């Protein structure tokens, strides 16, 4: 495992993404709320480009005490969605939102000054 | 040599073999040099990669060649073996990119030559800053009040007359903005409504102005909206 330079931090705006190939691995690097996250770009479902789809806030259905619905609401947590079949992953953990046992491989990000490295 | 009986009855294979057969059939369109030995006992990552990249031929395995999604897409779906000249050209281009990566990496501290290849950069969606008006602020405050009461179960928070007036003025404002070129989405990401809500409201709007769904379809195809 070595640190691989992937870009300058100043080149990433909040919400930007970059897909890189390091050896045989494809990695999606996200900048979200000032933090960097890096995940394998191979969807756990059928190997689609998991990190290249829509980024969307998580939808929750709020319930009243009697369990009747108060409707669907977006939360402040952001997810990204595989464009092939809609597998949705948590931006901060890489976990599949409806089955937390499924998790994209997460890569460590090291920031040295303005340089961003992925440990892969 | 397998017996003719087993060759003719794929259903008789074990589940592991059946799984392998699925992999081969899925990978076949991408790589015609699929061999049956590759997937025995391999983990899910390799399974997924094989689905995506195709099963590498023995030649590709020895040369360490691995094609990316992007490269495959760009080169089309021919699936034919490349001439050696093309392969050499691709190797040279790869080496050049590696050099660029090395130059960029500068003080990475790693002894190994960097192998990073940037495939795509995807920018965050551009957000247009709209002019803030006192009416907008008042509308947002009203929406917050209405949502809170509605969430608390108060369905009659608005009278039918008030609802009609609000929907009417929003339709006019939104339609005029769209036609004048100031295009934006009717709902923001945060205002989640269900598909059922949307269909009920759309149906009621069409009914209120005496339009049929086929007329909406015709208008959409003519106007391109």
């Amino acid at each position: 495992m070595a640190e691989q330079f992937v870009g300058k931090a100043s080149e990433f705006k909040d919400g930007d993404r970059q897909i890189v190939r390091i050896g045989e691995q494809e990695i999606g690097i996200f900048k979200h709320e000032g933090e960097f996250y890096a995940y394998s770009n191979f969807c756990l479902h059928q190997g689609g480009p998991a990190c290249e789809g829509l980024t969307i806030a998580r939808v929750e259905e709020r319930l009243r005490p009697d369990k009747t619905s108060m409707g669907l609401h977006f939360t402040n947590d952001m997810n990204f969605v595989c464009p092939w079949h809609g597998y949705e992953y948590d931006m901060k953990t890489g976990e599949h939102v409806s089955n937390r046992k499924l998790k994209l491989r997460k890569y460590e990000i090291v920031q040295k000054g303005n340089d961003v490295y992925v440990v892969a | 040599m397998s017996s003719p009986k087993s060759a003719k009855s794929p259903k008789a294979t074990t589940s592991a073999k059946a799984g392998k057969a699925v992999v081969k059939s899925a990978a076949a369109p991408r790589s015609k040099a699929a061999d049956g030995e590759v997937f025995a006992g391999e983990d899910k990552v390799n399974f997924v990669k094989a689905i995506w990249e195709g099963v590498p031929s023995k030649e590709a395995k020895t040369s360490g060649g691995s094609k990316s999604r992007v490269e495959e897409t760009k080169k089309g779906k021919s699936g034919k073996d490349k001439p050696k000249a093309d392969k050499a050209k691709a190797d040279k281009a790869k080496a050049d990119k590696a050099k660029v990566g090395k130059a960029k990496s500068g003080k990475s501290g790693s002894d190994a030559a960097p192998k990073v290849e940037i495939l795509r950069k995807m920018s965050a969606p551009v957000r247009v800053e709209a002019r803030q008006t006192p009416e907008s602020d008042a509308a947002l405050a009203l929406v917050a009040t209405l949502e809170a009461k509605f969430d608390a179960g108060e369905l009659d928070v608005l009278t039918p007359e008030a609802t009609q007036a609000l929907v009417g003025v929003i339709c006019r404002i939104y339609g005029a903005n769209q036609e004048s070129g100031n295009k934006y989405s009717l709902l923001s990401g945060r205002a989640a409504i269900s598909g059922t809500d949307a269909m009920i409201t759309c149906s009621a709007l069409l009914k209120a102005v005496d339009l049929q769904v086929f007329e909406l379809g015709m208008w959409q195809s003519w106007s391109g909206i």
Side-chain angles (χ1 to χ4, degrees), chain A residues 3 6 15 19 23 28 35 44 66 69 75 80 92 94 103 109:
Chain A
E3 291 175 5
V6 290
I19 312 297
E35 295 287 324
L44 299 171
D66 63 353
S69 175
T75 66
F80 57 95
K92 291 184 178 171
K103 204 170 177 181
I109 291 270

Side-chain angles (χ1 to χ4, degrees), chain A residues 44-88:
Chain A
L44 299 171
H45 178 219
Q46 287 191 350
C51 301
E52 298 180 40
L54 198 68
T55 55
I56 188 169
R58 182 180 310 142
V59 178
E60 276 182 358
E61 184 162 19
R62 294 181 191 155
L63 303 177
R64 297 188 186 91
D66 63 353
K67 304 296 180 193
T68 54
S69 175
M70 288 162 57
L72 300 171
H73 296 264
F74 282 105
T75 66
N76 290 324
D77 298 326
M78 196 58 91
N79 294 336
F80 57 95
V81 186
C82 177
W84 276 14
H85 304 103
Y87 255 42
E88 199 166 330

Side-chain angles (χ1 to χ4, degrees), chain A residues 4-5 14-21 24 26 41-42 44 47 52 70 72 74-76 84 115 117, chain B residues 44 48-49 52 68-69 107-108 114-124 151 153 189-190 192:
Chain A
Q4 305 282 358
F5 176 79
D14 212 54
D16 281 359
R17 275 178 277 179
Q18 188 165 293
I19 312 297
V20 298
R21 189 193 301 131
E24 289 188 345
E26 264 187 40
N41 195 29
F42 292 102
L44 299 171
E52 298 180 40
M70 288 162 57
L72 300 171
F74 282 105
T75 66
N76 290 324
W84 276 14
D115 295 341
Y117 300 89
Chain B
K44 191 170 180 183
V48 167
K49 280 185 181 174
W52 184 229
S68 74
R69 257 189 294 263
K107 48 193 176 182
S108 68
K115 302 164 285 182
V116 180
E117 186 182 350
I118 296 172
L119 300 178
R120 283 169 288 288
K121 287 186 176 182
M122 303 164 79
S123 298
D151 289 347
R190 302 279 161 193

Side-chain angles (χ1 to χ4, degrees), chain B residues 4-28:
Chain B
K5 192 182 173 187
S6 65
K8 285 180 183 177
S9 58
K11 285 178 185 173
T13 55
T14 61
S15 60
K17 282 181 181 175
K20 200 158 67 179
V22 170
V23 170
K24 281 179 72 178
S25 64

Side-chain angles (χ1 to χ4, degrees), chain A residues 30 37-40 42-45 50-51 54 56-59 77-82 86-107:
Chain A
F30 296 84
Y37 302 94
Y39 300 106
S40 165
F42 292 102
C43 182
L44 299 171
H45 178 219
C51 301
L54 198 68
I56 188 169
R58 182 180 310 142
V59 178
D77 298 326
M78 196 58 91
N79 294 336
F80 57 95
V81 186
C82 177
Y87 255 42
E88 199 166 330
Y89 299 99
D90 190 311
M91 178 73 81
K92 291 184 178 171
T93 62
E95 293 168 344
H96 184 260
V97 290
S98 61
N99 183 358
R100 296 278 167 181
K101 288 178 187 170
L102 297 175
K103 204 170 177 181
L104 282 176
R105 182 177 174 187
K106 188 171 187 175
Y107 293 87

